[in-house]
Amino acid sequence: MLKPNLKLPKTLRFPTENEIPMNFSVLEKLKLSKNSNIIPGFTFQLKDNNIENKELHFKFYAEINIDNPKLWDLIIALSMTLPENCALIFGHIDFEINYGNYENKYAILNYIKEFETELTQDTFMNWGLIYHDGENLIEIFVDESKFLKYWGTDEERFRQIMNNFELKENKNLEFIDEYPKVRESIQLHFQNVLNTKELIDNLQEKFIV
């Protein structure tokens, strides 16, 4: 079984050849993954002049690979770049994202701490934290494959956080979702955890009126 140079969630792995369709392009992708550049680090790009970005008030965008055991701590560190009030976003990978009400950031983090395992391991769920007004957009988005996407306004502070976690900018960085992968139910690997639907139902009840 192939292993990237990145500690993935227990619920995510590369497939074996007998787990993928006998399709040339899929097989070729699987072979390429043997030499993939899926390692800790981040990509960085300044906001461009794309018409889709015109009304979005961020200054830069980054994607971040980090060893899964350190993911929660990085999320907490990046959350300190958000204002005191922000919103939780969350949803199943096959459905639209839910946007929670704007609430105190620390109250949100204290509540979801109980679900740290689910939020860092459940590969059938996307979630994050967002703040957006007429002048600023800051968003932390935890992809289903448990790497991070970040839209920010303070480059110096962002780079300091990356430095604190020993993450380096890498223009050639790759991500697990670029290759064939197998997602497994969180309940196959952990006891006493909520499944995806149960967690989403809980968060909807708590954060959406």
Side-chain angles (χ1 to χ4, degrees), residues 54-101:
K54 187 176 180 181
E55 300 301 322
L56 298 177
H57 302 93
F58 67 96
K59 293 183 179 178
F60 64 90
Y61 170 70
E63 293 186 344
I64 309 160
N65 271 339
I66 190 167
D67 289 332
N68 190 258
K70 300 177 182 178
L71 176 60
W72 183 260
D73 288 341
L74 179 56
I75 293 167
I76 298 301
L78 287 171
S79 74
M80 296 303 107
T81 66
L82 289 157
E84 188 168 330
N85 288 328
C86 63
L88 184 70
I89 55 177
F90 56 93
H92 190 282
I93 60 174
D94 292 329
F95 299 95
E96 291 187 4
I97 285 286
N98 297 280
Y99 283 79
N101 300 315

Side-chain angles (χ1 to χ4, degrees), residues 24-128:
F24 175 79
S25 62
V26 178
L27 284 169
E28 190 65 19
K29 268 289 188 181
L30 186 60
K31 290 177 182 177
L32 289 172
S33 67
K34 294 180 180 180
N35 297 310
S36 63
N37 198 32
I38 303 173
I39 60 175
F42 68 96
T43 63
F44 182 92
Q45 63 184 70
L46 294 172
K47 178 181 175 181
D48 58 27
N49 294 319
N50 189 309
I51 189 67
E52 294 180 359
N53 293 333
K54 187 176 180 181
E55 300 301 322
L56 298 177
H57 302 93
F58 67 96
K59 293 183 179 178
F60 64 90
Y61 170 70
E63 293 186 344
I64 309 160
N65 271 339
I66 190 167
D67 289 332
N68 190 258
K70 300 177 182 178
L71 176 60
W72 183 260
D73 288 341
L74 179 56
I75 293 167
I76 298 301
L78 287 171
S79 74
M80 296 303 107
T81 66
L82 289 157
E84 188 168 330
N85 288 328
C86 63
L88 184 70
I89 55 177
F90 56 93
H92 190 282
I93 60 174
D94 292 329
F95 299 95
E96 291 187 4
I97 285 286
N98 297 280
Y99 283 79
N101 300 315
Y102 273 69
E103 299 187 19
N104 179 272
K105 172 175 63 180
Y106 300 102
I108 295 173
L109 293 173
N110 286 339
Y111 185 82
I112 66 173
K113 171 65 178 175
E114 178 183 350
F115 310 109
E116 177 181 344
T117 299
E118 289 93 333
L119 293 171
T120 58
Q121 296 283 338
D122 188 345
T123 53
F124 291 90
M125 181 174 179
N126 299 313
W127 71 281

Side-chain angles (χ1 to χ4, degrees), residues 124-189:
F124 291 90
M125 181 174 179
N126 299 313
W127 71 281
L129 295 163
I130 188 170
Y131 175 83
H132 192 197
D133 62 20
E135 297 180 355
N136 296 286
L137 167 63
I138 305 170
E139 180 177 347
I140 306 161
F141 187 80
V142 186
D143 184 87
E144 64 189 69
S145 299
K146 304 313 170 206
F147 67 90
L148 295 179
K149 299 177 181 181
Y150 181 81
W151 292 260
T153 59
D154 187 337
E155 180 180 345
E156 182 178 354
R157 192 173 184 188
F158 171 78
R159 289 187 179 277
Q160 183 59 57
I161 293 170
M162 294 298 99
N163 185 59
N164 291 344
F165 282 83
E166 300 181 336
L167 296 170
K168 297 181 179 180
E169 184 175 356
N170 185 336
K171 294 181 180 179
N172 299 315
L173 194 65
E174 294 182 294
F175 298 86
I176 186 70
D177 67 341
E178 298 173 42
Y179 294 95
K181 61 183 184 293
V182 174
R183 293 191 298 263
E184 296 177 338
S185 168
I186 191 172
Q187 293 179 313
L188 291 176
H189 297 274

